[in-house]
Structures are given as structure tokens and as C-alpha cells.
Amino acid sequence: MKPIIFHIDVNSAYLSWTSLEKLKNGSDIDLRTIPAIIGGDEKSRHGIVLAKSIPAKKYGIQTAEPVASALRKCPGLVVEKPDHTMYRRYSRAMMELLSGYTPDLEQVSIDECYLDFTPIAHLYPSPEEAAARIRDHIFETFGFTVNVGISNVKVLAKMASDFEKPGKVHTLYPEEIPLKMWPLPVSDLFMVGRRSAERLKTYGIRTIGDLAHTDLSFLTAHFKSHGRLMWEFANGIDPSPVVSNRQEAKGVGNSITLSTDVTTAEAAKKVLLSLAESVAARLRKAGQLAGTVAVELKYADFTKASHQAPTLSPCNDTDAIYRLSCSLFDQVWNGEPIRLLGIRSSRLTAEGEPVQLSIFDLPLASMPPDPDAARTDFSGTHPAKKEGEPARSPSPEKLKKLDAAMDAIRKKYGKNAIHKGELTDFSDR
């Protein structure tokens, strides 16, 4: 049996949840029925539209545009500040309801998740009817609407849930791609941001179908690994499984919303280094090793992306987490400005437990003595590197000792007492 995957997405989550909460507290106005937005203050980087009502959309108001701009378009616009504590409460309640259908559920953001329907398909007449029941159950229980996208792969389920809203169920099976997805503008494809879409248009690639039929070598030459990802998604290729939150429940992570958008890989990797230090230190403090590392991004237009991979062997050292995070970042970043970066570790094991080693953890065979090994550099303290010889990386044991020393210094003098040299010009630590 082919897999059946649902993507469940709350319609205008922040605005819907805010409206419901206000109605519970005696308000006689449903924000969803009037021109209204959720927006915050400029200092916290939320001086932009986070969510909008359907009536507000008719004024041309867009998610992620400045609140001031939205008010110019609609002077009578109602603006409500976000309440993230309340949003998390609604999110948890919805996920608990969905876990009653199946534990094979992967939450990817506060208002969306994937559900592996395959193991429970035999309990329902059809996936479409099951999705409609779930949609109705959520509305009857909480009072907000969701869209449900159905497919055999995650990216197509995600695309289907973005079709007509609100409160709809849509399918996008591989055989439906030419009719339902290929005619759409290339900017509608998941993981194609504004800049990527503009560049694609300069090459005559205007629809998702155009992208799907573009030579892969051309895309990788111009967009590198992101070109392959776009091509695969345009053709409905996505081998990633639904990763049950049961496996992700124990984890350590950290993220940062940046004061200004990051636009270069170099700047992003400085942020990742700071985050890797934080995550690794927390793992060491808890006596845990990470078996999987994930990098999460939120772009300036509030679209999200993430990518994860297993570590070579369970670890909690900064260098290993940082290097894997950089590799994941290179694979997932689409070149768009980034407003949030995060690193999350999971599949944790206790430091004392036996672990599966990779071949890279095995000690190197002993080498014959180097007659020049006694040479020193100008300081007289370190072996001098021969001309043309590549720089040697510190051994894993030395890196662990370095991390331990830095942990001790921070414990005694504060978390900002010491940091790696690469972070000397990184202010958002």
C-alpha cells in the first residue's frame, strides 16, 4: 500500500485563535469577519502583519508587510498584538486531539503538522472522508478551521493544504500534479522564495510545470543544491517520512530571531556557531548525547524550512554539532533573507550508555616517527607546519577538553565571559 499523508494547517491561526479568545471573554466582534490583522511592535521585530482576516485580504494586505503599510491600505483596520502563550495553548490542544487518531504525527510549526494516515486507513471509507472528519472534529471542538492536504508524499500534501481556503480538504496525488500543480506560478511552490522566483523568471521559468521540465543540470549550475530541491519538489519527489513526535519528544534546541535579516551564508554560520555552542553546552550539562541534529529557518516572509540528519555518532561537542548544522544549512537555504535561525537536537542518549561508533571515531593507526616533528613554530610551543601541508584539525579529545574548559569559565564568570574567535563581531549572541 502506498503511504497516505495528511498535512493539517490552521487557517490564519494567530487571527483565528485571538478572535476565539476575545469572543470567550465577552467580545461581540469576530475578528475573522472584519478587516483585522495580528501585528506587534517594531522593537521585537513584529511590526509586521503576522496574520490577516479574509476581509483584510480584500484590501491587498499581505502577511509580512509593515503594519503601517496595512493601515494605509485600510484606515479602519483593527490591529491586535500577538499572544504567543495563548497560541501555544491552542496548538497543544489541537495536537492532543490529533494524536487521538494516530501517534504517527509530526508537528512542524505551531499551527501545522503531518499525519501518517497509512496505518489507520483501513478504519475509514476513504482518506478524503477521514480528513473531512478530522477537519469537522477540530472545528466542533475548538471553533477554528483547518485545511487538510492529502497525498503520498509530504511536499504534495503541503501544497494541497495551500489550495482554496478556509476549511477545505484537497488531494494532490502524483497523477494529479500536471492538472493541479504545474499550472501554478513558480512562486507558489514550497521552498521557492521571492528572490528564487524572480531569478527563475529571468530564465523563462514562470510556472511550476516549467520548473519541473527544466534540465536538472541547468538548475544545479545556477542554484546549486537548492536547484535540485526545487526540481524535485516540482516533480513531486520527497522521500522524507513523517517523523513521529514520539521520537522527537526528548531534545535540546535553541533559536534566535535576528535584529536584522541575515542575507549571507557567512553571517548565518556565525549565528549557527553561537547556537551550536548553546545547544552543546546544554547537552553536556544534562549529560546527554545527540543522535540527530536539525536546522530550522524562518524567512523574512515568514515561510519556514528545516532539515535534519543523524550525527556520525552520538555527540555533545560544539564542533560536531556546528559542522553538521552548517552542512544542513547549505542544503536547505534558498538564498532568501533569514529572520530566524535555530538548531534542535533529538534522539538523545545518556553519556554513560554504550553507543554505536562510526569509523571516524576509531583511533588512527600509529604513524612512524617524523624526523621533523621536533620543529617548532616561532613561539616555540607548537610543532611547525611544513610548507604546503594542510592545517591539522584538533583531535576530538582536545575539542572536548576545550568545551569543558569553556563551560567551567562560563559557570564561574557568566555565559558571556568567553566565546570563540569567530563570534567577535557577532552581536546577537
Side-chain angles (χ1 to χ4, degrees):
M1 180 181 181
K2 288 184 177 180
I4 301 293
I5 295 171
F6 290 177
H7 181 261
I8 300 170
D9 190 10
V10 181
N11 299 135
S12 195
Y14 287 1
L15 188 124
S16 294
W17 292 338
T18 300
S19 181
L20 286 171
E21 200 69 8
K22 291 180 73 68
L23 290 170
K24 287 180 184 178
N25 292 327
S27 174
D28 56 358
I29 299 175
D30 188 337
L31 296 176
R32 295 168 292 186
T33 65
I34 63 172
I37 62 170
I38 304 299
D41 60 89
E42 193 68 37
K43 290 181 181 178
S44 62
R45 289 264 306 168
H46 292 107
I48 54 180
V49 177
L50 301 176
K52 61 188 181 297
S53 65
I54 291 176
K57 186 177 180 181
K58 293 177 181 178
Y59 285 86
I61 294 170
Q62 301 292 325
T63 301
E65 78 169 288
V67 171
S69 170
L71 286 167
R72 285 194 294 270
K73 293 178 180 178
C74 179
L77 186 68
V78 174
V79 181
E80 292 286 341
K81 288 188 177 181
D83 182 344
H84 295 284
T85 300
M86 181 258 289
Y87 300 154
R88 286 191 292 269
R89 189 171 71 248
Y90 273 94
S91 177
R92 283 194 299 269
M94 183 180 77
M95 297 305 161
E96 286 175 8
L97 181 149
L98 292 172
S99 65
Y101 286 89
T102 174
D104 297 317
L105 181 151
E106 177 184 356
Q107 184 174 1
V108 292
S109 72
I110 197 168
D111 61 346
E112 61 179 323
C113 66
Y114 292 101
L115 186 152
D116 188 350
F117 179 74
T118 317
I120 58 172
H122 65 283
L123 301 175
Y124 299 90
S126 69
E128 292 83 356
E129 184 166 329
R133 288 188 194 180
I134 291 172
R135 174 201 61 193
D136 295 343
H137 191 183
I138 290 172
F139 181 75
E140 292 163 4
T141 304
F142 305 116
F144 60 82
T145 62
V146 300
N147 265 35
V148 184
I150 308 171
S151 187
N152 305 128
V153 298
K154 289 168 73 173
V155 68
L156 295 182
K158 165 73 174 173
M159 290 294 297
S161 70
D162 282 336
F163 291 163
E164 184 190 359
K165 299 177 181 181
K168 303 291 185 180
V169 172
H170 299 284
T171 63
L172 184 55
Y173 294 110
E175 61 271 19
E176 296 178 302
I177 290 175
L179 178 64
K180 291 186 176 182
M181 190 170 79
W182 281 351
L184 298 175
V186 71
S187 57
D188 283 1
L189 182 64
F190 179 53
M191 290 299 292
V192 175
R194 178 178 55 83
R195 287 188 180 182
S196 296
E198 289 173 355
R199 285 185 62 197
L200 288 167
K201 287 176 183 177
T202 64
Y203 301 125
I205 302 169
R206 299 185 176 278
T207 68
I208 298 177
D210 293 337
L211 179 61
H213 292 94
T214 300
D215 185 79
L216 179 56
S217 61
F218 174 85
L219 292 171
T220 54
H222 288 84
F223 295 89
K224 300 183 179 178
S225 60
H226 187 62
R228 175 177 289 276
L229 181 69
M230 292 190 295
W231 182 87
E232 288 177 347
F233 281 3
N235 283 284
I237 300 170
D238 180 11
S240 62
V242 173
V243 180
S244 169
N245 290 127
R246 291 177 297 174
Q247 300 174 25
E248 300 293 325
K250 288 178 60 181
V252 171
N254 196 12
S255 63
I256 182 171
T257 299
L258 302 154
S259 57
T260 57
D261 292 337
V262 163
T263 57
T264 67
E266 181 183 10
K269 288 176 181 178
K270 287 186 177 181
V271 181
L272 289 175
L273 179 54
S274 178
L275 293 171
E277 282 194 322
S278 172
V279 170
R282 289 173 59 193
L283 286 167
R284 291 191 296 272
K285 185 176 181 180
Q288 299 285 315
L289 302 169
T292 296
V293 170
V295 167
E296 301 167 333
L297 294 79
K298 184 186 289 185
Y299 294 107
D301 63 359
F302 280 81
T303 56
K304 306 177 186 74
S306 64
H307 200 34
Q308 69 177 28
T311 58
L312 288 173
S313 61
C315 67
N316 59 12
D317 58 285
T318 300
D319 188 67
I321 292 173
Y322 172 63
R323 288 177 183 275
L324 181 52
S325 297
C326 288
S327 174
L328 293 169
F329 173 82
D330 288 337
Q331 294 174 57
V332 75
W333 185 42
N334 67 4
E336 297 288 312
I338 302 166
R339 74 186 315 269
L340 178 145
L341 270 169
I343 294 176
R344 175 170 49 85
S345 65
S346 58
R347 289 179 55 226
L348 305 189
T349 56
E351 280 186 310
E353 293 182 11
V355 298
Q356 179 72 43
L357 295 177
S358 84
I359 59 171
F360 300 102
D361 294 308
L362 300 177
L364 296 174
S366 59
M367 299 294 290
D370 182 349
D372 295 321
R375 293 182 302 119
T376 57
D377 64 12
F378 63 87
S379 68
T381 57
H382 301 287
K385 182 172 71 71
K386 296 177 183 179
E387 186 177 353
E389 180 184 282
R392 297 177 182 176
S393 298
S395 70
E397 193 59 36
K398 285 185 177 180
L399 290 171
K400 288 181 180 179
K401 289 180 179 179
L402 175 61
D403 282 334
M406 293 178 71
D407 288 344
I409 292 170
R410 287 173 178 147
K411 183 177 181 181
K412 186 172 182 179
Y413 297 105
K415 66 177 183 179
N416 293 321
I418 187 171
H419 57 82
K420 293 183 182 291
E422 294 92 328
L423 297 175
T424 52
D425 61 344
F426 174 52
S427 56
D428 275 301
R429 296 178 59 244

